[in-house]
Amino acid sequence: MARLYIFPLGVVLPQFLMAFARREQCIHPGHPAAMRRMRALRALCPCVGSQSRPAHSEDGSRATGTVPAAVTTFAAVGTSLLKRLQDNEVLRPQATQAELMPVPPAPFPRSSQHSPGSDFLGSRMAFYPGGVDPPVWLSASGGRVETYRELESVLQGDDGCLPSGVVNRLIAEASSDMRTAQGVTGDVKTAASDVLVALARSHFHFVMSELQSHLKAMGKVPDETVLLTLGKMARSYALRCIPFLGMTLLALRTMLSRVGSGQILRAICSVLEQWSKGVNTYFCNRDQCPFPRKGVAQFCEAIYPVFRYVVANWLDCKEEEDKQAVLGAVAAMMGVLLHEEQHQEHAWEQLLWLLHQYREVRDTSQVTKSLGYVLEMLEGVQTPIPRGTALAISTAVHHQLSDVTKEPGPAHKAVLSRCIVLQAPAMREKLPQVVEAVRSVCNDPSAQVRRAVLEFIRELLSSGSQSCWAWDVVGHIFIEFSRTSGRLEVAGGLFAWETQEDGALRALCMDILGSLDVSLRGMTKLLWPRLLQYVVPAQYSGMLLPLSHCLRALVERRERAGCKEEEEEPDAVDSQEQAWLPAPQALLARLLVVAAAPYASGERAVAALQLLQALHSTIHKALGAAWVTEIPLLLQYLEGKTESSLDSPEWEHHVLKFLRASLEPIKDKAWTVGLSQELSQQLGSSAPGSWEKLFLYKALGTVLAACQDLRHVQGQVLRFLQETNPVELSEAQGMISVVSHTAESHFHLVLDTVTMFSAPFTRDWFYQTSTGWKVRQQQKMERAPAIRAALMRTYSAIAQRALKEQLLTCMNKEIMGNILRLSRAKQRDLQLKLALVQSITEVTCAIQAVDDCGSFELSLKQEATRTLLDWIKQEPSDSLVYGVFQALEELSKLRPPLSRAENRNLLAVCCQSVLSYPSKERMNKGRKTVRATVNVQFLHRRGMEDLGHLIAIRLEAEKTSACFDDVVCVLKGWLTSAKEWERERALRVCAHVLGACKERFELTRGHPCKQFGSLVGLLGTLTSDCLATSRQRAWVCLGYLLQMQAKTVKVVPQADEIRCLCEELNSPDTKTLVETCTKISKAVVKCIPPAQAVDFLTAILDSLLHVTPTRARAVWKWVFVFLVECRKEIRQEPGQGIPVPSLQSPRLLWAAGAPHPAHSCSCSWAQAHAVTEALREGVKDAPSPSLSSSSIQVPKILNTLYTYMQQSTHRPFLLHAAFLLTHFHREPVISSLLQKGLPMDSDTVELWRSLGRSIFGIQILRCLVEKLNRAGNNRLGTDSSACEQHNRQTALETLTITRAISEVVLALRSMEELRQLLPHLLPSLLRWASETLGEERLLSPMSSWRQLFLKGQVLEEKPCRIFLSAIELVLGKCMAQKWMWLLVNRAVWARLEDPLAHPEGVCLLSSVLLHAGLVSPCLVKNLLPWLDSCSLKLRVTATAFFAELEEAERELKAMKCQKEVNSWRKNMRRRS
């Protein structure tokens, strides 16, 4: 019958609810009638069964099925209640825009199926039919609270039947109420929060997504209600919150520092407490969770940063409510962290802080609840409580139970009793007397009280009691020592402290233990298990001295008494105490660590070794014979050693060697495997990066090397390769230590294992290996560079540890090949570069350590060198990879040697990377910190030292002068740099190189330095550098060079004089500095060989390209001093007569296809032509003229000066240098200048003019006249082509001399001396003007640029005109202007150039000369030989000259007679 009634109810109820909802609009939401109707509806909901009605399939066809009627029922009820909330919202005061900021919708898809609720909620105005305004309610807040309560009650029975539209609107409405700051009471916010928690029962992800969106809002801390709702969610749905734990805690971490009020702090603490308890719930119910399991480490990794922040910042809060909230949060998080071993020490310390809160807070019930919760978690973790902590808990709980001033309530007492029960296993055997003593003093944690407890224990132990329970208090001594020594500190040292009282307490603990009387009967059984268990834990290592003394005394007592004492001892050791005894392998491992530790003194190491020797039978029976000899040797090594004198690496090597020797007599594979497992276990408990852990890695590798179980060895090696985190450098180094030490005895096994593991990383793709290890894409991007770096260092470490006879066979392919393949990564970070540098260095050193490595060739040497150089090039200018030069240095010592081009490229790249580093001032102006700048500068200083050492090693390895020439060539560019800091660095490197070369290079074996002159030129100019350090280093380099030169050419330089002058180089006075440089230059240039004078001068002039004008004068001083002081060494061979043509000489082509002058059959000219052609083709080994080296110094020096004349800034200095050279070597300079030929360029013209303006200008002119006369005397007949060629060459020489004469005369200052020289100069010029009369010549351009400016035209000029122009210029300097005008007016120059009018012109010229008074007897004497000359032209010229002189003489005589007659007539008239 019930079903009959329920069925129609399910059919009619939906329509009834819709009508009920419409009628309800006119009733106040808080009206009693409305409340009654809602309760009736809620009561009807459970009665609704299910009705059979057609259901539509997805394809539109009709299908019969059962659709729950409750779907429509709950939807209608929820819709009605939601409508009331929205009606109430009209009366709610408007919130600010920030408070009503739209929240992103929940990330779930809208239901595609149509539902009545979705249409009903489509628009808020749809609730008001006919546009009627909603009524004004007087108690809007109370109505909303009641509505929320009704909704919460309905949602608690919901099974996921609400449509998505209703869920969205309901979440939005409740979220808006929680976030609104004004107009909404706390009751409304709490009710809205409870509705969301109830809704999460069926729509958990929707609600959680809404809360997470508020939690992740940028720029502000979420509302307190939002945080409290998150806590409720974790309390109600602990397991379902687990997937959101990480993002929730991450969001909370970002807002911890922005907490500004106690309300928010308490809300966050509530979230942390509830979510941490949810994690503990998950630990107990993992099997019920549908999602993948998570490990304990993942949860601890998420909680631990928040825990550290709370501990560091919120423990000292002042408000009582804040303290209570922090208590709950810390206790809950401790319950999670206790599951992870690495966080337990931190948790124990905070547990002590929790006990301390009994004295800080007024309401201690919360402290007890937190303590009880932690103890319950410990029961599930199965982690024993440290005895000191257990004693503190027991004392605190007992005090709370026995405190008469503040007796706890019944509930509080129940919790305290529960705490006692939970800690009972750890405290069940505590000594009653100690409990009584602690009961009276535990309220005062001062050092005095703790000392009193220890003194009480001293008295108790010295009483001679033989009961087991009386001797359990020995453990309290170790606990107190551990507490005072700071072993219970958090990683990073945040909670470590050291006081004078703690030091005194530690000393007392050691004194108590050291004063134990082990001679009493029964002490062996009483103390042996109780003391031996404190040998292995690391926190008790400081007690090893008295502990070792007691244990060794007990061992001696046992050895003396044997088994007789067992009957005398009243109590026996139970099985549990026997279980606490450490394993033999644990004892050996721990004592080895203590013995090898680099402590301030060797007392602890001695105690550890002595204890090892005493426990040899306990550890292994086979160790007695070996340790009888080995341990005394170690003890002897430690005698007299202090912290400063003890070499820690060497001592560590001795300890590892002792371990290896100890394992040799042990044939038990299982025992060795157990020792390796014990070392692995101690590795896990050691602090990351500590010395202890690094030593354990090496010890484990040594044990694996001695292990004969190859499968276990390979498994351990592969485990370390796979499980090590290469990002952590300490872990990577530990893995390398294990693998490399294992390779000492299992080289091929380890090498094959590492090669198999590194195979995926030596290719561009990754695959799954046979061991099942696979690298994922994300891991490849994040960890692949670190893995590559670790593997490269592993290969090099294996090479260092391998047996030398096995190393060379596997070097090229397996070791160096894999290292280079691993370095070919696309992402090359600094860690990978450093690993490559370190690996190459270690591998090359390992090769050199092999005795017979001289014949070994590293086939990958060139590839390794190129890889390092490419990485150096890619480094920025302000960076440098440390150790790269050392790697290149070690590579250079191996075969095969590099080619000269490779060597020069290596030197250039290395110098570029070091010497181009920015200056200190530029670095200070950059964005880097001061510390980073200092570190980088130190790195580059070290790099310069390594670079100098590398160059020295390269020179020693190559043993050829070519290598030294390459070094000088590379350094020259940096020594002449325009930047003073680059010059200073280059000088530093140069000093290092020269200092090494003067003793070890081939220069010391009698071979002269070919670069001596150029180096002296470069370094000499740097003695006047603007930096004092550069000046000093320049002297150092010069000193080395002079020492080298003295050994090779047996020249003793003036070292003492230069050394004294060097001290004046640091003078700030510019004048003193210039004078000092001049004196040094005079002393140094005397050591330059004549053959290297040009190199010296070229180096100095090259440096002028980059010097400042202030330094230019000092640089030129070296040139002037050199030309003056070395004038005797720079000379020309006396017999040299025929000049050597240069490339700058123009070609003077004679008319009608005249051959080149160099085609003469003369031997010397054939050689000169060969030199010219060879230089044009760039061949260096061309034949040279048969002239001595000293004979060509002046032309070379002059050509060098001429080359640098294009710099206008240094032109005056160059002209002065040419003047000095001409002053001492006039003839060679003139001959060299005449080799320039025609047409003269502006530089040559300026040189001639500068010589003409000098004080010996007339001497230059006289020399040119002599050359012109000699050229005329060298003319031959025209019988043969050779003679004709010689005459043409002579004519070419006369033209050049004539042009030089013109330039010198033009600049000549003394006219009187020129008139005196005219009788010799005029005949020479007039002779060649007559000889070349009527001849036509073509003067071709000198170079292509001249052709460009002349537009391809050929300049035509008669040779006769050149000589006549010179005559005109000379006469213009010697005669008055009127006579020059007379020559022009009578067209004398035109007549002289015309072959037909030439005699008439000569007559006119001689007439003018006669009238000008320039015809002297010397001139007539020089012209008279022409009358008998074989040259018709000369005879004609002389005849015309003398005929005019004769005619002029008659005229002069007639004029003289007429003058006499006129004079006689005047006298007669006077007489009359």
Side-chain angles (χ1 to χ4, degrees):
M1 292 296 296
R3 293 183 180 179
L4 294 177
Y5 288 104
I6 291 174
F7 177 77
L9 182 62
V11 176
V12 180
L13 185 58
Q15 289 77 12
F16 169 74
L17 290 174
M18 298 299 295
F20 182 82
R22 287 193 296 271
R23 181 181 179 185
E24 193 182 39
Q25 295 175 9
C26 301
I27 303 176
H28 190 278
H31 196 274
M35 297 297 101
R36 288 194 299 270
R37 291 175 183 175
M38 293 308 301
R39 285 193 292 270
L41 285 174
R42 189 172 67 251
L44 287 174
C45 290
C47 300
V48 180
S50 54
Q51 59 177 342
S52 298
R53 63 178 179 85
H56 296 276
S57 62
E58 294 180 358
D59 56 356
S61 61
R62 297 181 62 86
T64 302
T66 301
V67 179
V71 172
T72 307
T73 303
F74 282 117
V77 174
T79 300
S80 175
L81 294 174
L82 182 59
K83 179 253 177 192
R84 289 177 56 193
L85 287 175
Q86 292 176 333
D87 290 344
N88 250 343
E89 189 179 2
V90 178
L91 293 180
R92 188 177 65 193
Q94 295 297 324
T96 62
Q97 183 177 2
E99 293 167 353
L100 295 180
M101 184 180 296
V103 180
F108 58 86
R110 296 280 185 178
S111 176
S112 60
Q113 187 159 348
H114 181 75
S115 63
S118 60
D119 289 340
F120 186 75
L121 297 173
S123 174
R124 180 170 297 183
M125 294 305 296
F127 291 107
Y128 307 106
V132 179
D133 294 334
V136 178
W137 299 318
L138 298 178
S139 57
S141 297
R144 294 185 69 82
V145 172
E146 186 65 22
T147 306
Y148 274 129
R149 297 306 179 198
E150 297 293 336
L151 268 173
E152 179 183 0
S153 180
V154 171
L155 292 173
Q156 287 176 354
D158 186 13
D159 293 326
C161 305
L162 287 179
S164 59
V166 177
V167 173
N168 277 337
R169 302 295 292 176
L170 182 56
I171 292 176
E173 193 69 19
S175 177
S176 177
D177 279 340
M178 290 193 304
R179 293 184 299 119
T180 304
Q182 299 177 357
V184 178
T185 63
D187 294 339
V188 175
K189 292 185 177 182
T190 303
S193 173
D194 295 338
V195 167
L196 287 181
V197 175
L199 180 63
R201 179 174 176 268
S202 56
H203 301 83
F204 178 84
H205 288 279
F206 302 157
V207 177
M208 182 58 72
S209 299
E210 177 72 10
L211 295 176
Q212 292 291 334
S213 65
H214 295 306
L215 194 63
K216 297 177 182 177
M218 299 298 294
K220 65 177 184 177
V221 179
D223 191 86
E224 176 188 6
T225 311
V226 175
L227 296 172
L228 294 176
T229 307
L230 276 171
K232 296 175 184 178
M233 293 283 289
R235 184 173 61 248
S236 303
Y237 315 103
L239 298 182
R240 300 170 71 179
C241 288
I242 295 301
F244 298 88
L245 176 69
M247 65 179 70
T248 302
L249 292 179
L250 183 61
L252 289 177
R253 286 174 59 186
T254 60
M255 66 181 68
L256 290 177
S257 60
R258 300 200 301 268
V259 174
S261 64
Q263 293 180 349
I264 299 298
L265 184 144
R266 293 190 292 272
I268 292 178
C269 288
S270 175
V271 176
L272 295 176
E273 179 181 0
Q274 298 302 330
W275 282 73
S276 299
K277 290 181 178 180
V279 173
N280 286 320
T281 304
Y282 168 77
F283 288 158
C284 301
N285 302 277
R286 296 185 185 182
D287 298 334
Q288 301 179 12
C289 299
F291 47 83
R293 294 186 179 183
K294 292 186 176 181
V296 176
Q298 292 179 278
F299 293 104
C300 293
E301 184 179 1
I303 291 177
Y304 186 68
V306 182
F307 177 76
R308 289 194 62 180
Y309 184 91
V310 173
V311 168
N313 297 277
W314 290 357
L315 294 186
D316 56 348
C317 53
K318 304 301 181 182
E319 298 295 331
E320 179 70 12
E321 295 181 359
D322 297 344
K323 290 182 179 180
Q324 300 288 352
V326 172
L327 275 172
V330 170
M333 289 187 287
M334 284 170 55
V336 178
L337 295 178
L338 285 172
H339 289 78
E340 185 71 10
E341 186 178 357
Q342 62 177 340
H343 301 302
Q344 287 178 359
E345 287 189 4
H346 196 180
W348 296 136
E349 182 170 300
Q350 299 314 312
L351 186 57
L352 296 177
W353 170 85
L354 184 66
L355 298 177
H356 181 69
Q357 299 308 304
Y358 276 117
R359 298 190 297 271
E360 299 292 334
V361 300
R362 292 188 297 272
D363 184 9
T364 58
S365 60
Q366 181 63 35
V367 181
T368 305
K369 290 181 181 178
S370 301
L371 178 60
Y373 179 79
V374 173
L375 294 176
E376 287 181 356
M377 292 301 103
L378 284 174
E379 188 178 15
V381 176
Q382 299 297 329
T383 299
I385 306 176
R387 296 206 172 189
T389 306
L391 179 61
I393 294 173
S394 176
T395 304
V397 173
H398 173 75
H399 175 74
Q400 292 296 314
L401 288 172
S402 61
D403 191 3
V404 296
T405 60
K406 187 172 58 177
E407 185 176 357
H412 192 186
K413 285 186 177 181
V415 179
L416 289 171
S417 302
R418 176 63 178 164
C419 291
I420 294 176
V421 174
L422 290 173
Q423 64 153 349
M427 302 294 295
R428 72 180 189 273
E429 295 181 4
K430 286 301 168 183
L431 189 66
Q433 291 85 346
V434 176
V435 174
E436 292 298 330
V438 173
R439 182 179 301 172
S440 62
V441 297
C442 63
N443 291 333
D444 190 355
S446 64
Q448 291 80 2
V449 175
R450 294 159 63 187
R451 174 179 291 273
V453 173
L454 290 174
E455 292 292 347
F456 175 81
I457 294 176
R458 181 202 292 270
E459 295 296 331
L460 178 64
L461 296 179
S462 62
S463 62
S465 176
Q466 297 182 3
S467 299
C468 294
W469 57 265
W471 289 94
D472 284 343
V473 295
V474 173
H476 179 73
I477 302 174
F478 290 91
I479 295 173
E480 183 65 29
F481 180 88
S482 175
R483 184 172 62 175
T484 57
S485 62
R487 293 295 300 178
L488 299 178
E489 63 183 31
V490 180
L494 294 178
F495 297 94
W497 56 85
E498 175 70 17
T499 62
Q500 186 176 0
E501 292 80 3
D502 289 341
L505 289 174
R506 286 200 305 273
L508 179 58
C509 292
M510 297 181 66
D511 183 59
I512 294 173
L513 188 59
S515 62
L516 291 180
D517 187 5
V518 298
S519 62
L520 298 176
R521 191 178 66 176
M523 288 298 104
T524 303
K525 281 290 185 68
L526 287 173
L527 281 181
W528 179 260
R530 289 168 174 81
L531 293 181
L532 197 62
Q533 60 181 328
Y534 294 106
V535 175
V536 176
Q539 61 266 31
Y540 307 128
S541 296
M543 296 281 285
L544 187 62
L545 292 177
L547 184 60
S548 173
H549 174 74
C550 293
L551 289 175
R552 285 187 288 115
L554 291 174
V555 170
E556 293 178 2
R557 182 179 177 85
R558 292 177 63 181
E559 291 177 353
R560 288 195 305 266
C563 300
K564 297 180 180 180
E565 195 174 348
E566 294 182 359
E567 300 177 355
E568 302 176 357
E569 296 177 355
D571 297 332
V573 183
D574 60 10
S575 59
Q576 185 174 1
E577 291 177 345
Q578 290 286 0
W580 288 349
L581 295 180
Q585 294 90 338
L587 289 172
L588 175 59
R590 185 61 206 166
L591 291 175
L592 280 176
V593 171
V594 176
Y599 293 110
S601 64
E603 296 181 0
R604 200 175 299 179
V606 170
L609 292 174
Q610 290 175 348
L611 185 56
L612 272 177
Q613 190 170 12
L615 297 177
H616 66 87
S617 60
T618 304
I619 296 175
H620 199 278
K621 296 180 179 180
L623 296 175
W627 285 3
V628 168
T629 57
E630 294 291 338
I631 292 181
L633 293 177
L634 294 177
L635 294 175
Q636 183 180 1
Y637 179 85
L638 289 175
E639 289 182 1
K641 292 291 193 304
T642 60
E643 182 182 6
S644 58
S645 61
L646 180 62
D647 188 356
S648 297
E650 183 180 357
W651 171 243
E652 180 182 296
H653 173 72
H654 283 297
V655 174
L656 293 175
K657 185 178 179 181
F658 164 74
L659 174 60
R660 183 63 183 268
S662 302
L663 296 175
E664 290 180 358
I666 300 177
K667 305 303 180 182
D668 188 357
K669 294 183 180 180
W671 196 94
T672 309
V673 171
L675 179 58
S676 66
Q677 293 173 349
E678 178 61 32
L679 289 170
S680 300
Q681 183 179 356
Q682 293 191 18
L683 271 173
S685 60
S686 300
S690 63
W691 177 92
E692 177 181 328
K693 192 163 189 174
L694 295 179
F695 176 78
L696 286 172
Y697 279 120
K698 299 175 184 177
L700 178 57
T702 304
V703 173
L704 291 177
C707 183
Q708 300 302 320
D709 190 348
L710 299 183
R711 180 174 296 181
H712 174 74
V713 172
Q714 186 177 20
Q716 289 295 310
V717 171
L718 191 59
R719 180 177 69 86
F720 275 96
L721 289 172
Q722 294 175 347
E723 297 179 1
T724 299
N725 182 14
V727 180
E728 296 292 337
L729 296 181
S730 60
E731 292 190 23
Q733 182 60 42
M735 179 270 293
I736 295 171
S737 299
V738 172
V739 176
S740 61
H741 281 77
T742 307
E744 290 186 5
S745 299
H746 308 291
F747 175 73
H748 292 288
L749 176 66
V750 172
L751 185 60
D752 294 342
T753 304
V754 176
T755 303
M756 176 187 62
F757 177 81
S758 62
F761 298 95
T762 57
R763 302 177 176 89
D764 295 333
W765 49 274
F766 292 82
Y767 67 95
Q768 186 170 357
T769 63
S770 59
T771 59
W773 180 80
K774 185 177 182 181
V775 179
R776 299 180 180 179
Q777 185 69 18
Q778 183 178 1
Q779 293 177 344
K780 180 186 73 173
M781 298 299 294
E782 296 178 355
R783 303 179 59 187
I787 296 176
R788 290 174 182 268
L791 288 175
M792 285 193 288
R793 293 166 58 198
T794 303
Y795 277 113
S796 62
I798 291 174
Q800 287 185 314
R801 293 283 175 180
L803 296 177
K804 305 310 177 185
E805 58 271 12
Q806 298 175 335
L807 177 62
L808 299 182
T809 58
C810 304
M811 176 55 64
N812 283 314
K813 182 179 179 181
E814 285 82 357
I815 298 179
M816 183 61 79
N818 284 329
I819 290 175
L820 294 178
R821 282 189 288 271
L822 288 168
S823 67
R824 299 168 189 164
K826 297 180 179 179
Q827 298 179 353
R828 297 175 178 176
D829 57 356
L830 181 60
Q831 182 181 358
L832 189 64
K833 295 179 181 179
L834 291 174
L836 176 64
V837 169
Q838 179 182 352
S839 301
I840 292 179
T841 304
E842 292 178 352
V843 167
T844 51
C845 291
I847 295 175
Q848 297 173 40
V850 181
D851 296 334
D852 56 345
C853 66
S855 60
F856 174 75
E857 290 192 0
L858 184 63
S859 59
L860 298 175
K861 175 182 176 180
Q862 283 78 6
E863 182 180 352
T865 304
R866 286 194 301 268
T867 303
L868 292 175
L869 294 181
D870 291 342
W871 283 14
I872 294 176
K873 293 178 183 178
Q874 296 171 4
E875 287 295 305
S877 60
D878 59 347
S879 179
L880 181 66
V881 178
Y882 177 74
V884 65
F885 296 135
Q886 184 179 1
L888 291 171
E889 174 187 334
E890 298 299 333
L891 272 175
S892 64
K893 299 177 182 178
L894 300 180
R895 299 181 60 187
L898 298 177
S899 63
R900 184 174 183 181
E902 291 173 336
N903 277 325
R904 178 171 290 189
N905 179 58
L906 184 148
L907 295 173
V909 172
C910 294
C911 291
Q912 175 70 28
S913 65
V914 173
L915 303 181
S916 63
Y917 172 69
S919 64
K920 183 178 180 180
E921 290 74 15
R922 290 184 59 186
M923 288 295 297
N924 293 336
K925 293 180 181 179
R927 298 182 179 179
K928 292 185 177 181
T929 61
V930 176
R931 183 174 182 180
T933 303
V934 173
N935 292 339
V936 173
Q937 289 176 354
F938 171 77
L939 181 63
H940 277 77
R941 285 196 300 270
R942 181 67 180 270
M944 280 188 285
E945 296 176 1
D946 293 343
L947 175 61
H949 194 64
L950 169 64
I951 296 176
I953 293 299
R954 295 292 310 151
L955 294 173
E956 187 176 5
E958 294 296 331
K959 297 180 181 180
T960 59
S961 59
C963 185
F964 185 77
D965 294 342
D966 295 338
V967 173
V968 175
C969 180
V970 172
L971 288 179
K972 275 182 180 178
W974 297 100
L975 291 173
T976 57
S977 173
K979 301 175 181 178
E980 60 273 8
W981 62 85
E982 291 183 355
R983 296 196 301 269
E984 192 269 341
R985 294 169 186 163
L987 281 170
R988 189 182 305 178
V989 176
C990 186
H992 186 94
V993 173
L994 293 177
C997 290
K998 73 182 181 67
E999 297 294 340
R1000 294 182 296 173
F1001 190 46
E1002 65 171 5
L1003 301 177
T1004 60
R1005 294 195 284 265
H1007 301 280
C1009 178
K1010 299 179 181 178
Q1011 299 289 339
F1012 179 79
S1014 59
L1015 280 176
V1016 170
L1018 284 175
L1019 298 172
T1021 59
L1022 292 174
T1023 55
S1024 59
D1025 196 86
C1026 57
L1027 295 179
T1029 54
S1030 297
R1031 298 194 295 267
Q1032 196 67 29
R1033 288 194 174 94
W1035 148 245
V1036 172
C1037 295
L1038 281 174
Y1040 290 152
L1041 277 175
L1042 293 176
Q1043 292 179 33
M1044 293 159 56
Q1045 190 72 359
K1047 293 181 180 180
T1048 55
V1049 296
K1050 297 181 181 180
V1051 175
V1052 180
Q1054 301 173 355
D1056 296 335
E1057 178 185 355
I1058 298 175
R1059 188 176 298 106
C1060 295
L1061 293 173
C1062 175
E1063 299 177 357
E1064 302 178 8
L1065 289 176
N1066 295 324
S1067 174
D1069 186 14
T1070 306
K1071 182 178 180 180
T1072 303
L1073 183 63
V1074 172
E1075 293 177 356
T1076 304
C1077 291
T1078 303
K1079 295 177 182 178
I1080 293 178
S1081 62
K1082 289 182 179 180
V1084 172
V1085 297
K1086 296 178 181 178
C1087 304
I1088 301 176
Q1092 299 183 17
V1094 176
D1095 297 336
F1096 166 79
L1097 190 62
T1098 303
I1100 292 181
L1101 296 178
D1102 283 340
S1103 66
L1104 289 170
L1105 300 175
H1106 308 286
V1107 300
T1108 58
T1110 56
R1111 286 188 57 225
R1113 186 177 299 274
V1115 173
W1116 277 106
K1117 281 283 186 180
W1118 279 83
V1119 179
F1120 302 154
V1121 170
F1122 168 74
L1123 294 176
V1124 174
E1125 298 295 330
C1126 299
R1127 59 186 181 274
K1128 296 181 180 180
E1129 287 78 12
I1130 303 174
R1131 62 183 183 273
Q1132 189 173 12
E1133 186 180 7
Q1136 182 184 2
I1138 302 176
V1140 180
S1142 62
L1143 288 176
Q1144 290 81 7
S1145 301
R1147 303 171 186 171
L1148 188 62
L1149 303 179
W1150 295 79
H1156 194 279
H1159 293 172
S1160 172
C1161 61
S1162 174
C1163 178
S1164 61
W1165 277 106
Q1167 293 178 355
H1169 177 69
V1171 172
T1172 302
E1173 295 300 327
L1175 290 174
R1176 184 177 289 109
E1177 297 297 331
V1179 181
K1180 298 181 180 180
D1181 297 329
S1184 57
S1186 57
L1187 302 176
S1188 64
S1189 59
S1190 62
S1191 65
I1192 59 175
Q1193 288 301 311
V1194 173
K1196 285 185 177 182
I1197 292 175
L1198 186 63
N1199 287 334
T1200 303
L1201 296 174
Y1202 174 81
T1203 304
Y1204 289 92
M1205 280 193 66
Q1206 297 178 358
Q1207 296 188 15
S1208 58
T1209 56
H1210 303 301
R1211 189 176 293 267
F1213 298 104
L1214 284 163
L1215 295 177
H1216 184 66
F1219 165 78
L1220 292 177
L1221 188 65
T1222 309
H1223 178 69
F1224 298 110
H1225 311 283
R1226 187 176 306 148
E1227 180 68 21
V1229 170
I1230 294 175
S1231 300
S1232 299
L1233 287 177
L1234 291 176
Q1235 293 177 15
K1236 301 296 180 182
L1238 294 177
M1240 289 185 181
D1241 54 16
S1242 60
D1243 295 333
T1244 307
V1245 170
E1246 187 170 1
L1247 276 174
W1248 283 115
R1249 290 180 181 179
S1250 66
L1251 295 178
R1253 286 191 296 268
S1254 64
I1255 58 176
F1256 47 84
I1258 194 65
Q1259 300 176 10
I1260 297 294
L1261 186 59
R1262 185 175 289 107
C1263 184
L1264 290 173
V1265 172
E1266 294 176 359
K1267 285 182 173 293
L1268 189 60
N1269 290 332
R1270 287 197 301 268
N1273 297 332
N1274 292 332
R1275 288 179 62 87
L1276 303 176
T1278 58
D1279 299 339
S1280 63
S1281 60
C1283 295
E1284 183 179 358
Q1285 180 69 22
H1286 175 73
N1287 292 336
R1288 290 179 180 178
Q1289 182 65 32
T1290 302
L1292 174 62
E1293 183 180 356
T1294 57
L1295 288 175
T1296 305
I1297 297 173
T1298 303
R1299 181 62 186 274
I1301 290 174
S1302 301
E1303 299 299 336
V1304 172
V1305 170
L1306 186 63
L1308 201 63
R1309 297 178 180 178
S1310 177
M1311 298 298 104
E1312 183 62 29
E1313 293 180 351
L1314 181 60
R1315 290 191 186 97
Q1316 296 176 3
L1317 188 62
L1318 184 64
H1320 302 280
L1321 177 59
L1322 182 61
S1324 299
L1325 296 175
L1326 187 60
R1327 173 186 178 179
W1328 285 106
S1330 303
E1331 289 283 354
T1332 58
L1333 189 64
E1335 294 182 359
E1336 299 289 340
R1337 292 174 178 83
L1338 297 178
L1339 186 61
S1340 66
M1342 184 176 64
S1343 58
S1344 59
W1345 64 267
R1346 186 172 178 85
Q1347 294 178 1
L1348 177 65
F1349 284 96
L1350 294 178
K1351 297 182 180 180
Q1353 300 177 1
V1354 179
L1355 179 63
E1356 296 184 3
E1357 188 175 8
K1358 296 179 180 179
C1360 178
R1361 182 59 189 162
I1362 296 177
F1363 298 105
L1364 293 176
S1365 298
I1367 295 173
E1368 184 179 2
L1369 181 61
V1370 170
L1371 294 179
K1373 292 282 187 176
C1374 296
M1375 294 190 305
Q1377 191 67 25
K1378 64 178 181 178
W1379 302 114
M1380 294 302 298
W1381 280 108
L1382 181 62
L1383 291 175
V1384 174
N1385 293 334
R1386 293 185 179 182
V1388 173
W1389 308 116
R1391 286 188 176 93
L1392 289 174
E1393 188 176 358
D1394 187 2
L1396 299 178
H1398 181 73
E1400 183 180 359
V1402 172
C1403 292
L1404 292 174
L1405 176 62
S1406 60
S1407 176
V1408 173
L1409 291 174
L1410 184 63
H1411 287 85
L1414 297 179
V1415 178
S1416 63
C1418 183
L1419 177 62
V1420 173
K1421 179 181 178 180
N1422 290 332
L1423 291 176
L1424 281 176
W1426 290 11
L1427 296 175
D1428 299 329
S1429 175
C1430 60
S1431 174
L1432 178 60
K1433 295 179 180 180
L1434 289 182
R1435 292 199 302 271
V1436 171
T1437 300
T1439 302
F1441 182 84
F1442 284 110
E1444 181 63 25
L1445 284 183
E1446 186 177 359
E1447 182 66 26
E1449 184 179 2
R1450 287 196 297 268
E1451 292 180 358
L1452 286 175
K1453 289 181 179 180
M1455 291 176 62
K1456 186 176 181 181
C1457 293
Q1458 185 65 34
K1459 289 181 179 180
E1460 292 178 356
V1461 171
N1462 292 336
S1463 177
W1464 180 77
R1465 288 179 179 178
K1466 289 180 180 179
N1467 292 331
M1468 290 299 295
R1469 289 175 183 176
R1470 291 173 182 173
R1471 290 177 183 178
S1472 61

